[in-house]
Amino acid sequence: MNRTVLIVGLIIVAAIVAILFMGLGNDPAHIDSPLIGSPAPGFALKAVGSDETIDLTRYRGKPVVLNFWATWCRPCWDEHPVLTANAQMAGDRVQYLGVVFQDEESKIRSFLEQRGWAYPTLVDQAGKTAIAYGVGGVPETYFLDKNGIIVAKFAGPMSAEDIEKNLRKAMQ
Amino acid sequence: MIAFLLVLALQLKVPDAEQFVGKPQGTPLTGEQLHLRTQQVGALLRCPVCQGLSVSDSPAEMAVNMRGQVRELLSRGYTQEQILSYFERSYGQFVLLKPKFNGVAAVVWILPILAVAIGVVIVVSKAKKLEQRPTANGQQPTANDPYLARVRDMVQKP
Amino acid sequence: MTASLGRFLILASVLVSAAGAFIGFAAGQKQSPEGLKWARRFAYAFAALMLLATVVMEYALITHDFSVQYVAQVGSRDVPLWVTIVSLWSSLEGSILFWGFILGIYIAGATRLNIGKHEEYMPYAIGTWLGCGAFFAFLIAGPANPFLTVPNPPLNGPGPNPLLQNHVLMIIHPPMLYLGYVGMTIPFGFAMAALLRKRLGHSFLRPLRASLLLPWIFLTIAIMLGGWWAYEVLGWGGYWAWDPVENASLLPWLTATAALHSAVVMERRGILKGWTVTLVQASFLLTILGTFMTRSGVFNSVHSFTQSSIGPTILVFLAVTLIASVVLLALRIDSLESDGNIESAVSREGMFLVNNLIFVVLTFTVLVGTCFPLIVEAVKGKQMSVGRPYFDAMAVPMGAALLFLIGVGPALPWGRATKREMVRALVPPIGAGVVVAVIGALLGVRNPWTLVTLFFGGYAVHVTLAQMWLPLVQRMKRGGSFGEALVDAQLRRGRRRFGSYIVHAGATIVLVAIAVSSTQRTSQEMTLKRGQTAQAAGYSITFTGIEERAEPHRQSTIAHFNVTKDGKPVTTMDPRMNQYAAMREPIGTPAVHSTILSDLYISIMNIAPDQQSAGFVVINTPMVSWIWIAVLLMGLGGLVALIPHRAVVMSVVAAAPAASAGEAPAATLIRS
């Protein structure tokens, strides 16, 4: 019995199997946001449907749900009514904001007119806001507390529960 | 109307690298140099929506936006470190295709070098051990390749 | 009906392979000729069942029998016939069935070719092969069953993944890859047999080596086809991104190449037997690891369409075979070792050792780099990437080192060499190296690594040609024309050697072409209006317009270009964006114009809504066609080396009774 071969071999086997086993639980497409706990990058963007420029700092003092989306994104269609309903229910307590990028204003307008327009929707410039927030795809939503700190990020379309859970973090 | 829009445009503000990585620390680039460097820095950034492609190689619109951002920052004089650091800030180390040289990522650079070192030690000691063994059956090896043996003969003849 | 027939065949194959494995190992233990006969029968039965099951599946696909689960998954009445046929391997379940089919052919072939020979090893080998066969048959019967019955069969199906319908290479790349991957099971069986028998006799080297070389040839070509496909289909203009699945195909190739080299030393000096067996085991185990990487969903990759939930099952099989291999190796490796030695480390034998070192380190590096993000995520919970810049940084020096060895290795003589011999062997090729490097520099190469590669490449070409030339010179000296010498010395007697040098020549060209094509590549982004002309890489390209074309399975938007050079028309190029019914985002197909010197490559980035202008990427890549051709050359060299010598010996001995004294020992030695 060659001890060296056995020990070295079994160590290698254990390492490989352990690493791959741990990998099985993960979703390779999932990326954690490094911005959680940091102040949200500020911006002032044009709102769809008006000539207003809306600055993020306007909403200091209450939690903000910042949702990045686009009209060509299929899951965003499913998420939209959920957000609209929650925004209406929340009223003044929580501010909902949408940021659209890689899209055309006319398309956004007709989408919102058809499907509901419960909160301001802003148009990003060359994806710069998305990059500053580390947006990897759409839809992605950031939850800001009343001091403008990012407390949570949710990638993918949200259900009412998802919004609920993350809003609680923002309200603390 | 245009003037109105212009005024509006001047009030628009997108998040800027300056707030996160400070002032540019290099020289602004232009022309061919700018194009080349954009490609090179873009090759170090991972497109977040693609499967492992770099921002330079990917046709996705997200990647196009990121390329544009890289170009703009280079033209303003930001260095490669600053630009990579800016993207790392919002996307995490995930976006860096070349692992950093510090922290846990350094291990991936050290391991192959360690492997080479250990391998060299093993090969050299094994070779020495083999060299020192006495020849078991004499002539057997060289006779295996008669052509080479004949060539060597002829080469060695005056 | 078809589905149940398929299920029956698969179930039968599970039973047959399991029983056959058991019989094989028992027959090996008892060294029973009767047992071996039965093991062989079970081996053929397994192959036959797999063949039948595959035929049944293809029949179901072609007749659009949507009551069969797999056909409902990937079949469609709207796709061309060739797409229907190749959709057998387009998705997980079918591709595992395909794996079983190829494995059956290999097992049957290996069994048939070794009837009456190596009878002490064959039962164990068959046992091992059928054991692996049983696992795959189990996968097909259980977690990855393509023959499930669909209760309410639909009238039509979605067709296979559109990315796979984009290009004809889809027909050849997967089968080639499987022929390479699956083929590694055969030498693995031989290696396990040698360990179980506690010896690796000299006569057993030939089947071990031949069974490693054949899949090696297929895998070499398959890896190249994968790169070529990425180049022609994915649109980013490159051919190798160190994607996890690309790495998965490369890893067993690296260890198999190392094993082929150490087998030469094993044959000459009787040493490194245990090491060669280890490498052969590793080549097989890496194919199982590779299939895990491709199908488990653990890795983020271009090949994501093959992901599924059979990851854990494959992992279990991998763990079992790993442990079995390690334990058996630990128990038996000492009994394999012989008293061989080497005369001097600075010799061709020594260079083989260095060769193995580099290949193993490269394998380790690629494996670590690919798995490292997993480790970090498990340990620290963060995500990180290990991408192309890392792998390139590691592979470039190692590739250059290998190229150095291709030059220096064959130049050095076997055994011990005097200083004078070494100088005489190592110095002359330097001139060739310098010439090639200078030519490169004159043509505009400035990258230091590329210049080093060119130098090593010139050196290696000189040595390889010289080594190919020497036996010819010898033959011609004894009388005979060049043609006779070529056929007799190289093709009739020196095939292994000649073949190896052809492979080396091919490999040298590949390494040089990779270096040149990566560093001398230029790319431009441009937006062109209809009718506008742009200059790229010495060509004038004129964007003439957009065409919409509707096919049953897709809608294509094609951009037409006229390409001229110095005023003379060269070709038309038509990059496309294809919108498949089944996918949300369109998939682009670039247009490639290949010449021997370089490729012109146009890819569509975006198209303006009015279709009067569009954004394009135009890339010029020098020497990239050389890569495809040179890899084919490598495959050809492998084939030349593979053809067995036995038939030759009969004719040499029979036709040359008046042979000179020098001939006879050569003939006797070849026979072994």
Side-chain angles (χ1 to χ4, degrees):
Chain A
M1 166 73 88
N2 187 319
R3 287 271 158 74
T4 324
V5 168
L6 186 65
I7 296 181
V8 169
L10 287 180
I11 292 179
I12 295 177
V13 171
I16 292 179
V17 175
I19 294 169
L20 296 178
F21 180 71
M22 292 190 290
L24 276 175
N26 300 334
D27 174 12
H30 166 75
I31 318 168
D32 288 329
S33 173
L35 287 175
I36 295 187
S38 314
F43 55 82
L45 297 173
K46 182 179 171 317
V48 172
S50 79
D51 295 324
E52 231 191 319
T53 302
I54 298 188
D55 191 309
L56 181 62
T57 52
R58 184 197 287 204
Y59 303 112
R60 248 341 131 72
K62 52 177 159 178
V64 177
V65 177
L66 185 59
N67 173 255
F68 285 86
W69 64 284
T71 58
W72 43 261
C73 147
R74 213 36 199 79
C76 305
W77 296 10
D78 301 327
E79 188 186 46
H80 190 79
V82 177
L83 284 167
T84 310
N86 272 56
Q88 285 164 341
M89 273 196 321
D92 259 350
R93 289 175 294 126
V94 179
Q95 180 63 43
Y96 282 70
L97 274 181
V99 176
V100 187
F101 70 117
Q102 301 173 5
D103 215 335
E104 284 160 47
E105 193 163 334
S106 52
K107 284 207 192 122
I108 306 173
R109 259 195 105 136
S110 49
F111 182 95
L112 291 172
E113 272 161 8
Q114 268 181 6
R115 294 164 189 262
W117 203 335
Y119 50 84
T121 299
L122 312 176
V123 186
D124 193 7
Q125 301 286 317
K128 290 202 181 143
T129 315
I131 291 176
Y133 275 79
V135 171
V138 279
E140 277 185 13
T141 313
Y142 294 81
F143 293 83
L144 282 51
D145 70 9
K146 57 188 200 282
N147 298 316
I149 308 281
I150 301 180
V151 296
K153 170 181 169 178
F154 191 95
M158 291 186 295
S159 65
E161 274 162 10
D162 297 321
I163 301 181
E164 185 84 18
K165 221 171 24 172
N166 287 293
L167 257 182
R168 242 177 274 139
K169 286 191 208 152
M171 308 266 227
Q172 279 163 3
Chain B
M1 183 58 180
I2 299 185
F4 193 6
L5 286 172
L6 268 171
V7 169
L8 260 178
L10 288 171
Q11 287 179 336
L12 287 174
K13 194 183 67 171
V14 281
D16 187 68
E18 189 169 335
Q19 1 165 215
F20 309 114
V21 290
K23 289 240 174 286
Q25 285 168 6
T27 46
L29 300 175
T30 51
E32 189 55 38
Q33 178 71 321
L34 176 63
H35 174 71
L36 205 61
R37 283 296 288 151
T38 306
Q39 276 198 338
Q40 286 173 347
V41 176
L44 298 172
L45 287 168
R46 181 172 186 167
C47 161
V49 296
C50 320
Q51 276 126 348
L53 278 184
S54 76
V55 154
S56 283
D57 292 329
S58 168
E61 222 177 316
M62 190 81 216
V64 174
N65 288 340
M66 287 168 80
R67 277 208 292 277
Q69 179 80 307
V70 169
R71 185 179 296 124
E72 187 210 310
L73 291 175
L74 282 170
S75 69
R76 282 162 61 185
Y78 281 92
T79 63
Q80 178 171 305
E81 287 75 47
Q82 287 180 299
I83 297 176
L84 292 179
S85 166
Y86 173 56
F87 281 97
E88 189 194 340
R89 213 197 127 270
S90 49
Y91 287 98
Q93 273 195 44
F94 173 80
V95 81
L96 301 176
L97 281 175
K98 190 171 187 178
K100 285 166 50 153
F101 289 111
N102 40 26
V104 78
V107 175
V108 81
W109 292 101
I110 297 175
L111 281 176
I113 303 189
L114 215 61
V116 172
I118 296 178
V120 167
V121 165
I122 295 179
V123 167
V124 166
S125 67
K126 180 80 178 167
K128 279 212 161 58
K129 226 188 292 175
L130 286 170
E131 248 180 347
Q132 276 152 17
R133 271 196 215 157
T135 316
N137 290 323
Q139 290 309 93
Q140 182 190 44
T142 5
N144 261 358
D145 198 335
Y147 293 101
L148 199 52
R150 298 249 282 299
V151 166
R152 288 181 77 186
D153 275 349
M154 303 194 68
V155 163
Q156 276 158 2
K157 264 193 224 139
Chain C
M1 163 59 204
T2 319
S4 359
L5 176 60
R7 282 204 300 279
F8 168 73
L9 288 169
I10 295 298
L11 215 54
S13 71
V14 176
L15 294 170
V16 162
S17 50
F22 182 73
I23 292 175
F25 284 115
Q29 234 230 345
K30 296 201 166 44
Q31 287 292 296
S32 141
E34 189 62 26
L36 173 57
K37 242 190 250 160
W38 275 101
R40 282 210 297 266
R41 287 180 192 140
F42 274 82
Y44 293 137
F46 173 74
L49 286 167
M50 277 293 163
L51 172 65
L52 282 171
T54 308
V55 166
V56 167
M57 178 51 79
E58 278 289 13
Y59 176 75
L61 279 168
I62 295 176
T63 55
H64 303 298
D65 183 351
F66 291 107
S67 69
V68 177
Q69 162 89 314
Y70 188 66
V71 182
Q73 211 177 305
V74 304
S76 163
R77 294 183 201 276
D78 306 324
V79 298
L81 180 63
W82 70 267
V83 174
T84 303
I85 297 178
V86 307
S87 52
L88 173 66
W89 51 80
S90 67
S91 188
L92 177 84
E93 292 82 359
S95 70
I96 304 272
L97 175 61
F98 190 53
W99 183 299
F101 165 64
I102 304 254
L103 185 56
I105 297 182
Y106 264 115
I107 294 179
T111 307
R112 181 76 180 76
L113 284 172
N114 286 295
I115 293 188
K117 294 185 276 181
H118 314 297
E119 290 186 349
E120 58 170 327
Y121 300 105
M122 283 311 288
Y124 281 130
I126 296 179
T128 311
W129 299 334
L130 287 179
C132 300
F135 170 69
F136 284 97
F138 163 73
L139 271 186
I140 305 171
N145 197 331
F147 285 112
L148 296 173
T149 313
V150 177
N152 293 315
L155 291 169
N156 201 352
N161 186 307
L163 237 147
L164 308 173
Q165 297 181 42
N166 245 358
H167 201 279
V168 175
L169 271 175
M170 173 56 191
I171 304 183
I172 344 171
H173 167 64
M176 268 300 163
L177 191 77
Y178 275 58
L179 284 168
Y181 249 39
V182 176
M184 294 295 167
T185 317
I186 306 299
F188 177 69
F190 285 138
M192 294 301 255
L195 287 174
L196 286 163
R197 286 297 299 156
K198 295 193 217 185
R199 59 183 232 96
L200 222 189
H202 195 81
S203 66
F204 198 47
L205 288 182
R206 178 125 61 82
L208 182 61
R209 207 183 43 237
S211 65
L212 187 60
L213 185 52
L214 181 63
W216 179 92
I217 296 172
F218 287 126
L219 191 54
T220 309
I221 297 181
I223 295 174
M224 177 271 282
L225 287 177
W228 195 2
W229 184 36
Y231 178 72
E232 295 261 341
V233 172
L234 295 181
W236 59 279
Y239 43 82
W240 193 263
W242 298 102
D243 175 274
V245 169
E246 287 174 331
N247 296 349
S249 68
L250 184 63
L251 289 169
W253 184 88
L254 291 171
T255 51
T257 309
L260 285 170
H261 283 88
S262 81
V264 177
V265 179
M266 179 169 68
E267 196 184 357
R268 294 192 76 91
R269 312 296 311 210
I271 54 172
L272 298 185
K273 282 187 186 170
W275 175 243
T276 308
V277 163
T278 310
L279 286 173
V280 169
Q281 285 182 326
S283 304
F284 167 74
L285 294 166
L286 285 168
T287 64
I288 304 299
L289 174 65
T291 213
F292 174 83
M293 284 167 69
T294 315
R295 298 171 198 284
S296 61
V298 172
F299 293 88
N300 201 331
S301 152
V302 163
H303 268 79
S304 316
F305 56 80
T306 51
Q307 271 157 17
S308 74
S309 52
I310 65 170
T313 322
I314 301 181
L315 186 57
V316 168
F317 181 61
L318 178 61
V320 166
T321 42
L322 270 171
I323 295 175
S325 305
V326 166
V327 168
L328 195 55
L329 197 60
L331 283 170
R332 300 292 163 90
I333 193 172
D334 291 329
S335 18
L336 284 185
E337 281 316 318
S338 68
D339 298 323
N341 72 341
I342 59 175
E343 292 174 45
S344 156
V346 185
S347 62
R348 205 178 296 192
E349 292 95 323
M351 292 301 105
F352 274 92
L353 290 177
V354 178
N355 157 302
N356 266 222
L357 171 66
I358 298 179
F359 272 111
V360 170
V361 169
L362 190 52
T363 308
F364 174 75
T365 307
V366 171
L367 190 54
V368 164
T370 310
C371 294
F372 200 70
L374 283 186
I375 305 176
V376 168
E377 179 145 14
V379 168
K380 286 230 154 170
K382 293 200 306 193
Q383 286 90 19
M384 67 170 280
S385 297
V386 177
R388 208 164 148 219
Y390 170 82
F391 290 106
D392 282 349
M394 293 288 157
V396 165
M398 294 202 223
L402 284 173
L403 195 52
F404 173 77
L405 280 181
I406 296 182
V408 168
L412 282 176
W414 292 103
R416 195 184 305 271
T418 64
K419 264 236 165 63
R420 261 185 92 217
E421 280 173 337
M422 282 211 282
V423 165
R424 216 203 310 252
L426 294 177
V427 168
I430 295 182
V434 169
V435 164
V436 173
V438 164
I439 293 178
L442 288 175
L443 288 174
V445 175
R446 292 288 170 269
N447 181 303
W449 275 115
T450 312
L451 288 169
V452 165
T453 308
L454 285 170
F455 172 70
F456 286 159
Y459 191 99
V461 166
H462 184 280
V463 171
T464 311
L465 289 177
Q467 292 293 316
M468 286 205 262
W469 186 248
L470 280 174
L472 290 179
V473 164
Q474 282 304 305
R475 183 69 181 78
M476 291 196 317
K477 272 212 179 113
R478 281 189 287 118
S481 68
F482 174 78
E484 278 174 16
L486 184 65
V487 169
D488 191 51
Q490 302 285 36
L491 293 176
R492 271 221 217 107
R493 300 170 201 231
R495 270 203 297 275
R496 264 180 60 198
R497 222 168 148 263
F498 188 49
S500 323
Y501 286 130
I502 297 179
V503 174
H504 275 194
T508 308
I509 298 175
V510 169
L511 288 168
V512 167
I514 291 178
V516 169
S517 63
S518 341
T519 56
Q520 300 301 106
R521 177 179 180 243
T522 55
S523 116
Q524 308 170 30
E525 281 172 31
M526 53 179 73
T527 308
L528 294 177
K529 284 202 273 285
R530 192 147 166 258
Q532 201 180 340
T533 305
Q535 302 299 321
Y539 293 96
S540 300
I541 57 175
T542 311
F543 171 42
T544 53
I546 301 268
E547 177 202 339
E548 293 271 351
R549 198 185 292 172
E551 288 168 52
H553 55 301
R554 65 182 180 191
Q555 176 87 19
S556 298
T557 310
I558 310 174
H560 291 292
F561 278 86
N562 283 334
V563 179
T564 64
K565 192 171 184 132
D566 303 324
K568 287 192 283 273
V570 172
T571 182
T572 55
M573 292 176 73
D574 315 285
R576 287 186 305 194
M577 294 289 270
N578 299 312
Q579 181 74 54
Y580 288 89
M583 293 205 103
R584 180 163 49 91
E585 303 257 22
I587 302 174
T589 307
V592 186
H593 172 66
S594 305
T595 67
I596 197 69
L597 283 179
S598 70
D599 276 21
L600 182 65
Y601 188 102
I602 307 181
S603 189
I604 303 180
M605 279 201 304
N606 47 56
I607 304 180
D610 63 0
Q611 296 198 341
Q612 292 305 309
S613 69
F616 301 100
V617 168
V618 181
I619 305 176
N620 181 55
T621 320
M623 280 187 87
V624 69
S625 304
W626 294 47
I627 300 177
W628 326 131
I629 300 174
V631 171
L632 285 176
L633 190 62
M634 286 171 76
L636 184 65
L639 264 179
V640 168
L642 189 61
I643 304 171
H645 268 106
R646 220 166 348 120
V648 176
V649 173
M650 295 302 127
S651 56
V652 164
V653 167
S660 65
E663 292 290 328
T668 4
L669 282 161
I670 294 173
R671 194 182 299 149
S672 70

